[in-house]
Amino acid sequence: MGVLSIFPGIRRRIADPDLAIDLGTANTRMYAAGKGLLADEPSVVGISAETGFVEAIGSRAASLATNPDESFRSVFPLRAGVIEDLDAAAALLTPLFRRAKRFGLIRPRVLACAPTDACDEERAAIVEAASRAGAASVTIAPEPLAAAIGAGLDVSSPYAQMIVDVGDGVTDIAVICSGEVILASAVRTACSDLHTAVRRSIVDSHGAWLYMREAERLTRTVGVARGERPVREHTARGADCRTGRDTRITVSNREVSAAMDPVVDTIIGAVLRVVADLPTGTSCEVIESGVCLTGGGAALPGLAELLAKETQLDVKPAADPLRAVINGARQMLTVCNRTGLWMN
Ligand SMILES: Nc1ncnc2c1ncn2[C@@H]1O[C@H](COP(=O)(O)OP(=O)(O)OP(=O)(O)O)[C@@H](O)[C@H]1O
Ligand SMILES: [Mg+2]
């Protein structure tokens, strides 16, 4: 144990603040101890088409991407919940870490969240990206455990509780008991697959590629529902497949729902499999405690209700589902300090 672990007061004075990060497929959030939430921005890096250098990250890169002059290329460092482009991930984190910097005598310790099904290489990529961005050490925490803490569940309870985090690229399902994940399962299917399914359906039937933000808007507006419902028409914008020109498309809620259905089935099927596999005692506890829904999918109209109907469980969306993971990771920083859970 180093001298700085024995005297945390000294460390606090001379080190950069500890960081919690939720590096998500769609959004990256970062909390710095003592400073608060310093980032909640899209996980995107804007590269100058001319120089090949990183021009902007996060919200600024996302707004540059809407510029039609094509002087920027957008790179998304993550896909399906894990890092796909390590250089881009490090480029995204570097300026974020700089926001928290103080004297720089000792680099920050970082707590990063990862999906429960991330393999060793995928975990190593998070460690590498954060290290390149300036981390002294990186501790990996299970994303649904952080989500549960952030959602306000008492994870120390000896009674099993279930959490389902439906993000942009991954749906992570976990059962938590006495502070530990006792059962977990993840599918690399989540909100981005809903958007893709809607875009594919519309390109087939209307000959136009819906813009990404329009696909997101339609998905949110139509929401999830099963069975017959009154037909509603929605207009959205996209690019005509033949001319490439901006065009308006009119689609019905039924068409959007039909496109989303197989993706919703995959998400619900994954949850049902975990519920079916629960040992009897745990199952009774989960029936009692219910399911907490987090991630962007928790804000998708109708998903919690459908999940409740299919699982016969009480499903409650978290109060701030998009920030549940970072809020939990923030609280875990304190635990790391108290228990010496840090990697180094
Ligand atoms: N109100 C809403 N209704 C429907 N979808 C929403 C809503 N708000 C956000 N989303 C969707 O949620 C997704 C982002 O959720 P979140 O920030 O939890 O994902 P992430 O953490 O980046 O991804 P992952 O954890 O899978 O890597 C996006 O696909 C976004 O379109
Ligand atoms: Mg997430």
Side-chain angles (χ1 to χ4, degrees), residues 271-293:
V271 180
L272 283 172
R273 271 195 302 281
V274 173
V275 172
D277 287 348
L278 292 176
T280 317
T282 313
S283 177
C284 294
E285 288 167 12
V286 169
I287 290 170
E288 189 85 355
S289 56
V291 177
C292 178
L293 193 60

Side-chain angles (χ1 to χ4, degrees), residues 142-191:
E143 213 161 298
L145 183 61
I149 296 170
L153 301 190
D154 174 11
V155 296
S156 66
S157 163
Y159 291 96
Q161 303 175 86
M162 192 163 171
I163 183 111
V164 177
D165 183 85
V166 185
D168 187 66
V170 60
T171 296
D172 217 333
I173 306 148
V175 178
I176 293 161
C177 181
S178 302
E180 276 179 39
V181 173
I182 57 164
L183 218 143
S185 174
V187 277
R188 305 282 172 107
T189 303
C191 292

Side-chain angles (χ1 to χ4, degrees), residues 61-76:
S63 65
L64 288 177
T66 57
N67 202 334
D69 69 4
E70 292 182 0
S71 52
F72 297 97
R73 190 163 54 85
S74 296
V75 178
F76 298 91

Side-chain angles (χ1 to χ4, degrees), residues 96-118:
L96 298 186
F97 283 16
R98 230 178 273 134
R99 288 181 195 171
K101 207 160 176 51
R102 243 178 356 213
F103 314 109
L105 280 184
I106 302 175
R107 293 181 295 149
R109 294 178 297 195
V110 173
L111 179 89
C113 299
T116 50
D117 71 337

Side-chain angles (χ1 to χ4, degrees), residues 252-268:
S252 77
N253 55 345
R254 286 194 182 164
E255 180 178 354
V256 175
S257 275
M260 287 162 68
D261 273 352
V263 180
V264 173
D265 285 346
T266 304
I267 294 170
I268 290 180

